[in-house]
Amino acid sequence: MGIAVGVNHLSSRAVAFGARALRQQTQGYPKGGEELIRSGVVRAIPPRDAASALQAQGFRLLDVRPAWEWEKARVVGSLHVPLFVEDTDSGLITLLKKWVHFGYVGLWTGQLLTTINERFLPQVEEVVPDKEDKLLVACGEGLRSMIAVRILHKGGYKNLGWLAGGFNRSGDGDFAEVEGSTKLQYATVGGVSYFFLQLLLFLQVVGKGN
């Protein structure tokens, strides 16, 4: 019981810390997604209702997480177009940002310093040319996907859904099939916190075996 509590506590703390870091990274990027969701123009769909939206209502899942999160865990059959990509600029200012980011965020969460994908909309248009298609837009915590729905709506996509709270709020059975090395709700957890989480999960398995 104590290990299970430890797993839940560590995972929730790591996810929350990562979400705060992502809020800082997304500041200054296009806003308006929250208003679209609040007004009902973009439909908020909680993870527990995602399977129904995908299987019975004709939505396609668009995962906008960066590649390193998508590689850890992903819904089978989902589309993947990252809204943010690794910032590979080698200028002095960016290098300083990377140093600060690693010290305060990257070491604990494993998140890289990112910049917005300037080709996000064209890349979505390549994989979803019909702008009448229903898209359920998702990320880890719901922040990046909120920016994404604003960009997509402005780009002409009108049948949009937003995965409320992101994959972090999902349960083990919310999606029909998931692949990768970890659970969807842990995919944003990296760095030092990831190793602690894996240790606790291992101890939990051992404890059940005994």
Side-chain angles (χ1 to χ4, degrees):
M1 179 66 71
I3 294 175
V5 172
V7 170
N8 292 332
H9 178 70
L10 177 60
S11 61
S12 61
R13 286 289 300 273
V15 166
F17 189 86
R20 287 197 296 271
L22 289 167
R23 278 195 292 272
Q24 293 175 353
Q25 289 188 42
T26 55
Q27 288 178 358
Y29 290 105
K31 306 299 182 186
E34 186 175 0
E35 179 56 34
L36 291 172
I37 295 163
R38 187 184 300 113
S39 66
V41 173
V42 172
R43 178 181 164 191
I45 300 175
R48 66 178 179 274
D49 296 335
S52 174
L54 296 172
Q55 297 170 11
Q57 300 174 38
F59 277 88
R60 303 170 70 186
L61 183 62
L62 176 61
D63 189 333
V64 301
R65 295 175 301 161
W68 52 90
E69 290 182 28
W70 183 83
E71 289 167 358
K72 287 182 181 179
R74 55 202 170 273
V75 177
V76 173
S78 60
L79 306 171
H80 178 237
V81 180
L83 177 65
F84 286 89
V85 294
E86 182 181 0
D87 191 341
T88 58
D89 180 64
S90 58
L92 178 61
I93 298 300
T94 301
L95 291 176
L96 288 172
K97 286 182 179 179
K98 287 183 178 180
W99 182 78
V100 172
H101 175 83
F102 177 78
Y104 285 92
V105 178
L107 179 63
W108 174 252
T109 68
Q111 291 287 338
L112 301 176
L113 181 66
T114 60
T115 186
I116 198 160
N117 178 9
E118 299 292 348
R119 285 191 43 77
F120 174 72
L121 181 59
Q123 288 174 351
V124 174
E125 290 172 335
E126 289 176 8
V127 295
V128 189
D130 188 351
K131 295 188 175 182
E132 296 299 318
D133 280 3
K134 294 180 179 180
L135 291 177
L136 175 55
V137 186
C139 67
E141 71 305 310
L143 300 174
R144 293 164 292 185
S145 53
M146 193 176 292
I147 296 173
V149 296
R150 175 70 182 92
I151 295 172
L152 292 169
H153 184 267
K154 187 176 181 181
Y157 290 91
K158 303 303 181 185
N159 295 315
L160 297 171
W162 171 69
L163 188 68
F167 292 126
N168 292 352
R169 299 287 182 89
S170 66
D172 291 344
D174 287 342
F175 295 92
E177 191 174 358
V178 176
E179 60 184 2
S181 60
T182 189
K183 296 181 179 183
L184 276 173
Q185 56 266 46
Y186 297 155
T188 56
V189 180
V192 174
S193 59
Y194 177 77
F195 291 104
F196 279 115
L197 178 61
Q198 292 303 307
L199 176 60
L200 284 173
L201 289 171
F202 172 75
L203 292 174
Q204 186 178 36
V205 171
V206 171
K208 288 181 178 178
N210 294 331

